[in-house]
Amino acid sequence: MKVSAVETGEISQVAAPRKGMIRGLSIMDFILRIVAAIGTLGSALSTGTTRETLPFTTQFVKFRAVFDDLPTFVFFVTSNSIVCGYLVLSLALSFFHIIRRSSAAKSRILLVFLDTVMFGLLTTGAAAAATIVYVSHYGNVNANWFPFCGQYNHFCERISGSLIGSFIAVVIFMIIILMSAVSISKH
């Protein structure tokens, strides 16, 4: 009479590395969420506090650049702030996945769905701001839009720098979504 794999205990030997891998993915998910939250918070703060006034002002005319002069930068700050808030709130669920691996399949599916929505929001905000930064640096001769970063150096440097943090968070979101999909498939 043959003995099945369940009776010999082979299943438990195979399940232990999977549980360890899922736990490792959960810990990495938690760390990546913290890094992405810091990146989006830094981008929102850097852009939201950007303003520059040119030194050659007169009594009646001041030349200044403020982030909220352009609706695209307002959308960029808003999308980064929303995603940062989401990431901070999702840390609790991510920590729950580290502690309770077995009963977390439904909450992982919810997180993948919400991560995908936030990934889309963050990507659109970063892409829209990147187009305005490009036009600010190089202009568009066909539309008679002249580059103004030659005059507003500090303003353009801060906005360009804040795009870096936002695009790093976009890449981290891709990694988080892929890791969540792998951990769901292991259940």
Side-chain angles (χ1 to χ4, degrees):
M1 185 167 162
K2 289 188 170 183
V3 180
S4 69
V6 173
E7 294 177 48
T8 60
E10 289 181 30
I11 299 293
S12 63
Q13 293 173 355
V14 173
R18 282 190 183 162
K19 286 183 180 180
M21 186 174 111
I22 291 174
R23 184 178 176 121
L25 287 174
S26 297
I27 292 170
M28 184 62 82
D29 178 74
F30 186 79
I31 293 169
L32 287 176
R33 285 180 190 279
I34 292 172
V35 172
I38 291 169
T40 55
L41 178 66
S43 293
L45 287 176
S46 177
T47 302
T49 59
T50 300
R51 66 188 77 246
E52 183 176 3
T53 303
L54 291 181
F56 52 90
T57 60
T58 65
Q59 184 179 8
F60 301 108
V61 179
K62 288 187 178 181
F63 296 103
R64 67 181 178 101
V66 182
F67 88 97
D68 60 356
D69 289 340
L70 296 166
T72 305
F73 290 145
V74 174
F75 176 64
F76 177 72
V77 170
T78 305
S79 64
N80 275 288
S81 300
I82 290 170
V83 171
C84 181
Y86 163 75
L87 285 167
V88 169
L89 292 175
S90 70
L91 284 175
L93 202 52
S94 182
F95 186 71
F96 172 74
H97 291 158
I98 295 171
I99 296 172
R100 303 202 47 149
R101 292 162 278 177
S102 60
S103 63
K106 291 181 182 178
S107 62
R108 284 187 192 275
I109 293 171
L110 176 67
L111 262 184
V112 168
F113 174 74
L114 293 175
D115 286 344
T116 305
V117 170
M118 292 298 147
F119 170 71
L121 179 65
L122 185 63
T123 304
T124 55
T131 57
I132 296 298
V133 167
Y134 179 82
V135 171
S136 299
H137 279 284
Y138 301 107
N140 187 339
V141 179
N142 296 330
N144 287 329
W145 293 339
F146 301 104
F148 68 86
C149 282
Q151 292 83 22
Y152 297 99
N153 287 331
H154 179 68
F155 180 82
C156 290
E157 287 174 4
R158 284 192 59 163
I159 296 291
S160 299
S162 69
L163 282 174
I164 294 170
S166 190
F167 278 115
I168 287 173
V170 166
V171 171
I172 289 174
F173 257 113
M174 285 191 260
I175 295 168
I176 287 173
I177 291 169
L178 289 173
M179 285 185 348
S180 296
V182 167
S183 65
I184 289 171
S185 70
K186 296 297 181 184
H187 283 287

